[in-house]
Amino acid sequence: MASENTRKWAIIPEPNSMTVGEGTVLLPYAGRVNESIAIGDGDFLLAHQLVADIRSATGTDWDIATGDMWSGFIRLRIADSWDFDSQDGGTAGAYTLTINTDGITITSCDFEGVRNGVQTLRQLIRQNGAVLPVLQIEDAPAYRIRGYYLDATRGRVPTLAWLKQWADKLCLYKYNQLQLYIEHTFAFDGMSETWRGSSPLTPADTLEFDQYCANLGIELVPSVSTFGHQYVAMRTQELRELGEFPEDADRPFSFIERMRHHTLNVADDRAFAFSAQLVDSYLQLFRSKRFNICADETFDLGKGKSKQEAQRVGVATLYATYVGKLCEHLSKQGREPMFWGDIAIEMPEILETLPNNVTLLNWQYEPEATDEKIQLVAQAGAKQIVCPAVWGWNALLPRIDDAWNNIARYGLDCGAEGMLVTDWGDFGHVNDPRMAVPGMIFGAQYAWNPAGNTAENDLLERISRVEYGDCSARFVALLRNASAQAVFTWRELVEYLELDDDTGNCNTDVAQTIPCLADRLVDHLSDCGNAMTVREARNRMMRNMATTIERIPQANRALQQCMVDIAPIAAHMGNPGITAAVRIAMEGQLLLNRAGFALAEAHDVRDAHDAGDWRPSDYRALARELECWCEAYAKEWNATSQPSELHRIQETVWKAADELRRISK
């Protein structure tokens, strides 16, 4: 890599081959970017990207031209011949970048390669301004497909303006695919009962964003739930009869139940007509030939309305038949189907039935993930894309270590066609999407150059420099340290509150998702002859957290120190958006920890004399602090997202505040 005197700048993803020479190159104060028409960049977007960054970094304005009659200090070229191959034996996305006293040249055999080289140069300009290092780079991606998967449905619907900003950032780190996860948050014709009040994306939004992504060299792939994850649709008057358990459609809304009970009754012929209508209308808005039908986590399949059919043919056959029918429906229209691989991997006989043009999205999110499931799919001969996660869901602060340990475990040994880095929004999407940037960049590095010099601390420093302009290179490490202080998280708060089914009884569906309760539910019923009460369930949950709760005073002191340390760094980064997002998230976690401590005390997990400054008389003050924090959180929500389900986040915070007031009496 680079010598020590060049470590003040960095490139992400790290290039495969880079030679840094002696001396530097001074950009002209009135230069020009000459972009070859052969690149196929109709609006000369790549040249405009460079001119914008030069203006931002140096204050000077550059010209743009094309054709061999015009000079250019920066030259973007398509090679007449090409002898530099990427790691998979092809040339797609590969480029060379040369910086010397004669100027700067980026060369590739295709648009994507030139685009990738331009992003490398942009990073150098952003960090070095007008004085660039002399260097030679030969670079190519490990994975042909480098995608990002953004949840745009389970609480948070991004604004179109923010989606464009995110696409710009994905481009900078050389991603070439993006998918938006949709359940009910798209304005499909005839389905207003499903999407009403959700701030749905529209066909016009999609057409505009599809064009925007295409200009950036990013394929926008349609993705919509067509089998499982139909929680909102299955609760409507018009569509509930298509669900496995229509009798449960009027139960109170639950973040946890939304993650579990949402499966179509595919034994009903009307189910396929419903799914096909979603597919047929949605695909017409995209230029991509790929289509992700999702089809994951069909937990209720064969347990409700389809039980008789599942007993007759088997759950695996029921699943495979329906997914195969949807894939065939897409194939007849010239599309390439994709779907999540969790069910097929649990029932390997399904793998043998997959059509040749289907791609399995093989997700594994465990920090200690292995290649076992990837090998299983490879041995079956199925096409697959590996799918790690940024680990932001259910939390205010991103779990950066978990993201690192998960993403860094994926390799190329199994012949996967690409990597799709997932960013989920379980439990209302409380996680600010801007907080996913470190995980997104982990994915960029490992999809491009998994063999690079990528020790975690080194990459955190490089992210701090490249993404955040932090000369101290400490910003992301401090954010990681802050996230380690999350003791009582948003997930625990939601679980605690949703154990009450709103009638005063214990919600057994919720209890079954909490390990310390799931094992006890059946035993309790047999021992006592009646169901567990809310109080009993909450007691057990909080007692199970007793050792964890002990950490809260120490964790909050550490979190407050992180806030002190990060403040002067953030002040010099010139990025008020991320500064505000981080501050709100840290303040919120401090309050969540304090709320967990108070609830533990209310359930006699803590002795009152050990409560320190958080005595029962302070619980009402804590309730007021939560409500004030929630207002500040709502303002930051609006910086990236439409109103969508912000009200559900607010209602959860208010319910927690009311509970604190109740236990203070």
Side-chain angles (χ1 to χ4, degrees):
M1 184 60 181
S3 60
E4 285 303 314
N5 65 338
T6 64
R7 294 293 288 176
K8 291 183 179 179
W9 55 263
I11 299 169
I12 306 173
E14 180 187 5
N16 287 274
S17 172
M18 180 169 70
T19 302
V20 180
E22 295 296 327
T24 56
V25 174
L26 180 65
L27 294 178
Y29 68 88
R32 178 183 292 135
V33 179
N34 186 305
E35 179 177 351
S36 170
I37 197 75
I39 293 170
D41 179 16
D43 294 329
F44 298 98
L45 173 70
L46 300 178
H48 282 291
Q49 284 182 329
L50 288 168
V51 167
D53 278 332
I54 291 169
R55 182 185 302 114
S56 178
T58 71
T60 59
D61 288 313
W62 276 40
D63 191 17
I64 292 173
T66 190
D68 57 12
M69 297 296 293
W70 297 93
S71 64
F73 192 80
I74 298 177
R75 299 172 293 275
L76 311 182
R77 295 285 178 261
I78 291 292
D80 294 329
S81 62
W82 190 257
D83 58 6
F84 173 58
D85 288 350
S86 62
Q87 292 181 18
D88 63 2
T91 59
Y95 70 92
T96 62
L97 167 62
T98 302
I99 302 176
N100 57 36
T101 53
D102 293 330
I104 301 171
T105 303
I106 295 172
T107 306
S108 178
C109 64
D110 56 21
F111 166 81
E112 184 180 351
V114 176
R115 182 204 74 146
N116 292 335
V118 166
Q119 307 318 308
T120 297
L121 180 55
R122 292 176 67 202
Q123 291 184 20
L124 289 169
I125 291 168
R126 289 183 175 196
Q127 295 169 80
N128 294 284
V131 182
L132 300 181
V134 172
L135 55 73
Q136 172 74 26
I137 290 175
E138 292 185 346
D139 204 8
Y143 281 118
R144 180 173 57 86
I145 295 173
R146 303 174 305 283
Y148 197 83
Y149 195 86
L150 179 64
D151 192 334
T153 206
R154 285 188 297 202
R156 195 184 284 267
V157 177
T159 64
L160 183 57
W162 185 82
L163 282 173
K164 290 179 178 179
Q165 292 175 27
W166 191 250
D168 289 338
K169 198 173 294 296
L170 293 177
C171 175
L172 181 65
Y173 294 105
K174 304 183 177 71
Y175 279 87
N176 62 5
Q177 188 184 107
L178 172 62
Q179 300 186 31
L180 302 180
Y181 176 51
I182 298 294
E183 291 176 7
H184 65 286
T185 52
F186 194 84
F188 289 105
D189 282 353
M191 293 184 61
S192 57
E193 189 187 4
T194 299
W195 51 253
R196 66 187 185 189
S198 70
S199 309
L201 293 168
T202 67
D205 294 331
T206 302
L207 292 172
E208 183 175 344
F209 190 49
D210 186 62
Q211 181 65 58
Y212 192 86
C213 288
N215 291 344
L216 292 170
I218 295 173
E219 179 186 12
L220 185 64
V221 175
S223 173
V224 64
S225 287
T226 59
F227 193 166
H229 288 288
Q230 293 287 347
Y231 180 77
V232 175
M234 297 302 100
R235 288 163 57 81
T236 64
Q237 294 293 330
E238 293 188 18
L239 296 172
R240 63 177 61 191
E241 289 302 319
L242 297 183
E244 284 279 9
F245 294 102
E247 64 273 16
D248 290 338
D250 292 321
R251 287 169 61 91
F253 175 88
S254 162
F255 285 131
I256 295 173
E257 288 187 38
R258 174 154 76 179
M259 300 301 298
R260 296 182 61 80
H261 301 299
H262 43 57
T263 306
L264 278 176
N265 166 23
V266 296
D268 188 326
D269 291 339
R270 295 174 298 174
F272 183 78
F274 167 74
S275 297
Q277 180 182 357
L278 294 178
V279 167
D280 293 347
S281 55
Y282 204 43
L283 65 81
Q284 293 181 354
L285 304 175
F286 298 79
R287 68 193 64 203
S288 173
K289 293 300 182 183
R290 307 178 215 268
F291 197 107
N292 182 2
I293 61 172
C294 295
D296 57 316
E297 295 185 331
T298 51
F299 299 126
D300 288 333
L301 182 64
K303 297 179 180 178
K305 289 286 188 178
S306 70
K307 185 174 183 178
Q308 185 174 353
E309 181 66 9
Q311 290 174 337
R312 186 179 73 84
V313 302
V315 173
T317 298
L318 192 62
Y319 178 89
T321 300
Y322 195 75
V323 169
K325 192 175 178 181
L326 281 173
C327 290
E328 182 182 7
H329 181 75
L330 278 163
S331 298
K332 287 180 179 178
Q333 300 179 72
R335 307 289 168 151
E336 300 174 17
M338 299 172 146
F339 68 95
W340 299 109
D342 53 310
I343 304 300
I345 290 170
E346 288 178 10
M347 305 173 185
E349 61 268 34
I350 295 174
L351 293 174
E352 301 172 3
T353 69
L354 296 179
N356 292 332
N357 68 333
V358 173
T359 300
L360 208 68
L361 301 174
N362 195 345
W363 61 269
Q364 295 181 82
Y365 304 148
E366 302 87 352
E368 303 301 323
T370 68
D371 282 344
E372 181 180 356
K373 292 181 179 179
I374 302 172
Q375 292 282 6
L376 177 66
V377 175
Q379 290 166 6
K383 293 195 298 184
Q384 65 177 319
I385 291 175
V386 294
C387 306
V390 300
W391 273 85
W393 62 86
N394 299 345
L396 291 172
L397 291 164
R399 297 180 289 277
I400 290 175
D401 277 342
D402 287 337
W404 167 265
N405 290 327
N406 179 231
I407 293 170
R409 288 180 176 273
Y410 284 87
L412 295 167
D413 298 338
C414 303
E417 296 191 342
M419 176 181 285
L420 184 66
V421 180
T422 62
D423 183 356
W424 296 105
D426 306 10
F427 290 29
H429 211 145
V430 71
N431 40 309
D432 189 308
R434 293 170 293 187
M435 306 289 269
V437 168
M440 179 271 284
I441 296 178
F442 291 165
Q445 174 65 54
Y446 274 89
W448 185 275
N449 183 8
N453 179 23
T454 50
E456 181 180 7
N457 288 336
D458 175 68
L459 190 50
L460 294 185
E461 290 180 1
R462 290 196 285 139
I463 294 170
S464 295
R465 292 187 186 279
V466 175
E467 171 62 24
Y468 298 108
D470 169 26
C471 295
S472 75
R474 297 177 61 217
F475 179 79
V476 183
L478 286 169
L479 183 59
R480 176 191 61 182
N481 295 346
S483 70
Q485 312 313 320
V487 178
F488 192 79
T489 68
W490 180 254
R491 179 187 185 109
E492 277 87 38
L493 180 64
V494 169
E495 288 174 339
Y496 180 91
L497 295 174
E498 289 196 358
L499 280 170
D500 187 335
D501 68 358
D502 283 350
T503 68
N505 295 316
C506 178
N507 187 327
T508 54
D509 276 348
V510 171
Q512 287 170 359
T513 69
I514 304 173
C516 68
L517 297 179
D519 296 338
R520 182 62 181 144
L521 284 173
V522 175
D523 293 340
H524 188 279
L525 185 61
S526 61
D527 292 345
C528 306
N530 52 30
M532 189 180 293
T533 66
V534 176
R535 177 72 184 182
E536 289 168 331
R538 287 176 170 174
N539 276 341
R540 189 171 184 84
M541 174 186 170
M542 297 309 296
R543 284 199 301 271
N544 189 66
M545 292 189 68
T547 303
T548 305
I549 294 292
E550 295 285 344
R551 287 187 50 230
I552 286 177
Q554 178 184 356
N556 270 16
R557 286 191 293 271
L559 183 50
Q560 287 169 329
Q561 187 60 51
C562 285
M563 293 169 66
V564 170
D565 293 340
I566 213 168
I569 295 172
H572 289 90
M573 292 190 327
N575 189 338
I578 192 62
T579 299
V582 168
R583 177 64 186 275
I584 292 298
M586 289 184 175
E587 292 281 5
Q589 188 55 58
L590 283 170
L591 293 171
L592 283 176
N593 282 349
R594 289 174 61 192
F597 199 95
L599 293 173
E601 184 177 308
H603 288 275
D604 299 322
V605 174
R606 296 285 312 166
D607 293 330
H609 69 271
D610 289 333
D613 295 333
W614 308 330
R615 304 193 63 78
S617 60
D618 295 318
Y619 293 169
R620 292 185 180 183
L622 177 55
R624 292 192 292 271
E625 288 184 64
L626 276 168
E627 289 159 343
C628 291
W629 171 84
C630 193
E631 292 304 301
Y633 173 87
K635 291 178 182 177
E636 280 309 303
W637 176 287
N638 294 331
T640 64
S641 309
Q642 299 182 67
S644 36
E645 293 187 30
L646 171 61
H647 67 96
R648 298 199 190 279
I649 302 289
Q650 293 171 313
E651 288 161 5
T652 300
V653 174
W654 299 337
K655 188 179 289 187
D658 290 344
E659 183 68 15
L660 288 168
R661 290 187 175 97
R662 186 188 65 78
I663 65 175
S664 70
K665 295 178 180 178

